């Protein structure tokens, strides 16, 4: 989608290794989110950010950390990957809109992570 | 806190027949409501959203949804489906002025359109 890119698109990693996923935006939006998608669970929030160096936990944050040193980048790190973290990860952005009609979330294309 | 329940995990439907996907939500604050579609191996695409005003919302691809505050529902409808509507559909809610305005999703409804 325009203005938001995720990298890598696919990754296979071994149990116990660290993994970092990147979300990059060109919209200068304040809010950024990381979700994971698993069958039957929809998308669940891992962490989110409301500004540079300002982050907070979502509902499934255990085993994950995030960092946001620049407005445009939001990194998700799995410190020691486990098989239960095999999932599709989506990043989303949302701006502070003065016009309610423009309120909304834009999602990246996702990263498919497999932990073996 | 908020939650979303999509009452049907799978909905088979014949081509050109109508379809309704049910969504109920729970929230302690006023909400914004969204429906997203996900085609196989793709990302999420916004179908429509309710922010304020008319409770009947029209979206892309002929879909519409109605916000019912008293029943805390936001059901999605299409009067005549096409094969290309085969996809997974997600209902989502965001609390108005809630901290972080986090988007909470339902578990998804998989729609299979049969010829």
């Amino acid at each position: 989608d325009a203005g938001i890119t995720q990298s890598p698109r696919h990754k296979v990693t071994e149990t116990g290794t660290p993994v970092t996923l990147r979300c990059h935006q060109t919209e200068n939006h304040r809010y950024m989110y990381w979700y994971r998608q698993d069958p039957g669970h929809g998308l669940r929030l891992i962490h989110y950010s409301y500004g540079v160096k300002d982050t907070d936990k979502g509902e499934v944050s255990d085993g994950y950390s995030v960092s946001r040193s620049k407005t445009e980048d939001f990194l998700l790190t799995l410190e020691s990957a486990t098989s239960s973290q095999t999932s599709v990860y989506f990043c989303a952005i949302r701006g502070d809109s003065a016009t309610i009609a423009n309120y909304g979330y834009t999602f990246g294309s996702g990263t498919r992570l497999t932990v073996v | 806190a908020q939650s979303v329940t999509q009452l049907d995990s799978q909905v088979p439907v014949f081509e050109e027949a109508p379809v309704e996907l049910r969504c109920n939500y729970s929230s302690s604050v006023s909400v914004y409501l969204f429906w997203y579609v996900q085609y196989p191996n793709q990302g999420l695409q916004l179908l429509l959203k309710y922010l304020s005003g008319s409770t009947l919302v029209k979206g892309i691809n002929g879909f519409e949804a109605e916000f019912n505050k008293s029943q805390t529902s936001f059901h999605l409808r299409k009067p005549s489906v096409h094969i290309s509507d085969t996809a997974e559909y997600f209902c989502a809610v965001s609390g108005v002025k809630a901290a972080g305005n986090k988007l909470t999703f339902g578990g998804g409804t998989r729609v299979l359109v049969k010829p």
Side-chain angles (χ1 to χ4, degrees), chain B residues 19 21 35 37 39 47-48 57-65 76-82 84-86 89 111:
Chain B
V19 70
L21 308 184
W35 274 100
V37 60
Y39 299 104
L47 274 178
L48 50 78
V57 181
K58 294 188 183 298
I60 62 171
N61 301 341
F63 284 92
E64 64 179 32
L76 181 71
R77 302 182 183 93
K78 184 169 183 178
S80 176
V81 296
H82 303 290
S84 59
D85 292 321
T86 293
Y89 294 79
V111 173

Side-chain angles (χ1 to χ4, degrees), chain B residues 1-79:
Chain B
Q2 56 207 28
S3 64
V4 178
T5 302
Q6 292 185 239
L7 297 161
D8 305 292
S9 59
Q10 294 188 63
V11 174
V13 58
F14 286 105
E15 193 174 17
E16 298 184 5
V19 70
E20 178 180 78
L21 308 184
R22 297 178 293 168
C23 172
N24 286 94
Y25 70 91
S26 172
S27 177
S28 56
V29 299
S30 297
V31 297
Y32 297 140
L33 294 154
F34 304 82
W35 274 100
Y36 289 88
V37 60
Q38 185 179 37
Y39 299 104
N41 298 313
Q42 294 189 25
L44 278 76
Q45 180 181 0
L46 179 67
L47 274 178
L48 50 78
K49 60 185 177 184
Y50 171 79
L51 303 179
S52 67
S54 173
T55 57
L56 183 62
V57 181
K58 294 188 183 298
I60 62 171
N61 301 341
F63 284 92
E64 64 179 32
E66 185 153 20
F67 170 51
N68 188 319
K69 188 175 181 179
S70 63
Q71 297 186 8
T72 60
S73 68
F74 191 54
H75 301 333
L76 181 71
R77 302 182 183 93
K78 184 169 183 178

Side-chain angles (χ1 to χ4, degrees), chain A residues 9-65:
Chain A
R9 291 297 310 278
H10 301 272
K11 186 171 182 64
V12 179
T13 191
E14 293 186 350
T15 298
T17 61
V19 177
T20 295
L21 309 183
R22 180 182 184 234
C23 179
H24 179 78
Q25 61 146 329
T26 57
E27 305 295 323
N28 200 35
H29 282 344
R30 177 183 176 191
Y31 293 93
M32 299 185 76
Y33 307 84
W34 276 109
Y35 288 87
R36 61 177 288 174
Q37 182 180 18
D38 304 289
H41 292 278
L43 281 79
R44 293 178 292 174
L45 183 66
I46 306 171
H47 282 279
Y48 68 100
S49 171
Y50 46 96
V52 173
K53 299 190 189 303
D54 291 324
T55 65
D56 206 349
K57 295 179 180 180
E59 62 178 307
V60 290
S61 60
D62 288 348
Y64 301 94
S65 63

